[in-house]
Amino acid sequence: MLAHDWELWARDDQMPPAGDWTVWLVLGGRGAGKTRAGAEWVRAVATGRAPFADAPAGRIALVGETLSDVRDVMIEGVSGLLAIHPRAERPEWQPSRRRLTWPSGAVAQVFSAEDPEGLRGPQFDAAWADEVAKWRHAEATWDMLQFGLRLGARPRQVATTTPRPVPLLKRLMADARTVVSHAPTHRNAANLAPGFLETIVGRYAGTRLGRQELEGELIEDRADALWRRAAIEAARVDEVPELARIVVAVDPPATSTARADACGLVVAGLGRDGTAYVLKDASDGGLRPAEWAARAVALWRRFEADALVAEVNQGGEMVAAVIREVDAAVPVTMVRATRGKWVRAEPVAALYEQGRVRHVGCHPALEDEMCDFGPAGLSSGRSPDRMDALVWAITALMLGRSGEPKVRRV
């Protein structure tokens, strides 16, 4: 029976959290084991196994994107309900009646998100909803399911899905009655085909698709942001062409405390084709002046850059002086912001829209800031230091002295 002892084999993210929750939302990458987590939870509530349930559930709803998805994945799949039960507990699957019946007397009925009205009438004390972010009629199906969860002392449901920025998923995540587990694909490496992670992660790691489908992250654009992820993805390249110029841009923090702004450090180059290429985001937080200066100089040397561009609003002449203490030979271009961040960033964002700026490889943290930067700044209220450094780098390479920024060579 050890092979069927889920508490022995499950990871923490596959076990239901403690507490008085109504929805357990399992966000996972492809192959992360979220189907197994959902199936094991249903098995536990159907058989009344502690600590999952105090008594066997009487009526259970199984809801998938389509009826065939429920059958092929949730019931008959390799991690589905029929596969995970020991023989003595295994429910009887009646395809013609679209239901499972356990020896305990529990009954699970099958429903499709293509037919929300099919949930009108039946009632349940538990439910498993799979791939809710893909449902065609997500809101209507979910609402009909909630009306049916009216049996037992504490009706509960588990929702398993690879995240997508759809309204239903965002509503569930914001609900105080929802607890969320997060399961990236790599945690289930032992149960995946050899070479899968190496091949797939090598291709998609850091991209929007990879972060969504492998890391299980909810990735979305801010409606009023200057940049769009789709445009950045479309312009991404894997190799660096011949470059005519390279700069390292620094947006230094005002202080070096743990809660201080990060130090923006971005390397970019200008190709002989007139296109700018973002090469490296080395931004970091909590750096003392000597530390960020040393990192900036190290990047200047590593990339054989032509200049180091440093914003001096926060530190004035001290910024250049700190860099000179590390290496007096580094050519420093001091830039001072005289207009707001949005105004400075707009011309750079326009270059992206024209396809004149490309990212070499993936820079997830930088791209997150870019796609979350609106007229009032970042959603978090923090300073967009990575984006600031990017703006200074692209401005120095492509916009020169026109308008903003004012540039002075030292």
Side-chain angles (χ1 to χ4, degrees):
M1 291 291 289
L2 287 179
H4 295 284
D5 188 345
W6 182 235
E7 292 181 70
L8 177 65
W9 299 104
R11 306 188 308 266
D12 288 345
D13 57 73
Q14 293 176 306
M15 293 290 288
D20 188 22
W21 49 268
T22 299
V23 178
W24 175 28
L25 179 60
V26 182
L27 300 180
R30 299 284 189 92
K34 56 187 182 294
T35 300
R36 181 68 184 269
E40 289 286 357
W41 182 80
V42 170
R43 172 192 165 199
V45 299
T47 56
R49 192 171 76 249
F52 299 88
D54 299 326
R59 309 289 293 188
I60 304 168
L62 303 177
V63 190
E65 183 181 5
T66 66
L67 292 175
S68 61
D69 287 323
V70 180
R71 182 194 65 229
D72 296 342
V73 177
M74 301 171 72
I75 295 175
E76 298 178 353
V78 294
S79 297
L81 287 162
L82 295 180
I84 65 169
H85 281 75
R87 185 175 299 274
E89 292 182 359
R90 188 170 300 158
E92 178 188 359
W93 170 224
Q94 300 171 296
S96 62
R97 302 186 68 180
R98 296 193 302 201
R99 74 178 193 177
L100 286 165
T101 303
W102 277 262
S104 66
V107 175
Q109 293 176 260
V110 170
F111 300 92
S112 165
E114 293 184 324
D115 179 24
E117 291 298 307
L119 283 157
R120 187 183 294 275
Q123 52 187 349
F124 317 98
D125 45 11
W128 173 21
D130 189 45
E131 292 296 356
V132 295
K134 291 174 59 183
W135 287 1
R136 182 177 180 184
H137 303 293
E139 297 281 352
T141 303
W142 185 263
D143 289 342
M144 287 297 101
L145 177 60
Q146 304 318 295
F147 287 125
L149 282 164
R150 56 182 185 264
L151 294 180
R154 187 174 60 171
R156 283 182 160 185
Q157 55 202 313
V158 59
T160 52
T161 190
T162 298
R164 292 182 178 181
V166 297
L168 173 60
L169 196 58
K170 290 187 279 188
R171 173 158 69 95
L172 292 180
M173 294 179 71
D175 195 319
R177 297 167 298 178
T178 299
V179 293
V180 181
S181 295
H182 179 246
T185 300
H186 65 80
R187 289 189 188 168
N188 200 36
N191 296 309
L192 300 176
F196 171 80
L197 285 178
E198 181 180 351
T199 302
I200 300 301
V201 172
R203 179 175 180 181
Y204 295 106
T207 66
R208 178 178 186 170
L209 186 62
R211 293 174 65 188
Q212 174 179 286
E213 301 294 325
L214 297 174
E215 296 301 317
E217 295 184 37
L218 183 64
I219 307 295
E220 59 181 323
D221 283 331
R222 179 173 165 177
D224 60 351
L226 270 179
W227 283 272
R228 291 286 177 266
R229 294 185 189 274
I232 295 173
E233 293 285 358
R236 198 184 306 280
V237 295
D238 296 323
E239 297 181 356
V240 184
E242 184 179 359
L243 300 176
R245 289 188 62 210
I246 299 175
V247 299
V248 177
V250 186
D251 179 41
T255 67
S256 58
T257 64
R259 299 184 63 181
D261 296 336
C263 175
L265 283 167
V266 171
V267 185
L270 182 65
R272 297 193 181 280
D273 58 358
T275 300
Y277 295 86
V278 179
L279 308 175
K280 178 76 173 177
D281 170 29
S283 307
D284 203 354
L287 300 179
R288 297 180 181 278
E291 293 172 330
W292 60 252
R295 292 194 186 187
V297 170
L299 290 169
W300 177 78
R301 292 170 178 163
R302 172 184 166 187
F303 286 89
E304 300 181 351
D306 301 281
L308 199 156
V309 179
E311 181 183 316
V312 297
N313 285 58
Q314 301 289 353
E317 298 288 342
M318 181 273 293
V319 173
V322 171
I323 296 172
R324 289 196 197 98
E325 288 180 3
V326 178
D327 189 339
V330 176
V332 180
T333 298
M334 295 197 299
V335 291
R336 184 178 298 276
T338 59
R339 289 185 284 178
K341 297 179 187 294
W342 176 272
V343 176
R344 297 200 309 274
E346 277 188 307
V348 175
L351 293 174
Y352 274 81
E353 291 180 3
Q354 296 164 11
R356 298 179 61 194
V357 184
R358 295 179 177 270
H359 287 196
V360 181
C362 301
H363 313 285
L366 170 62
E367 292 162 15
D368 281 351
E369 280 196 0
M370 295 167 65
C371 297
D372 185 47
F373 182 72
L378 297 179
S379 298
S380 64
R382 295 187 65 86
S383 176
D385 307 294
R386 298 171 187 270
M387 187 210 72
D388 275 344
L390 169 78
V391 168
W392 290 123
I394 302 302
T395 299
L397 290 171
M398 303 190 73
L399 300 177
R401 297 173 180 266
S402 59
E404 187 70 31
K406 296 180 180 178
V407 176
R408 180 162 62 91
R409 204 56 188 269
V410 296

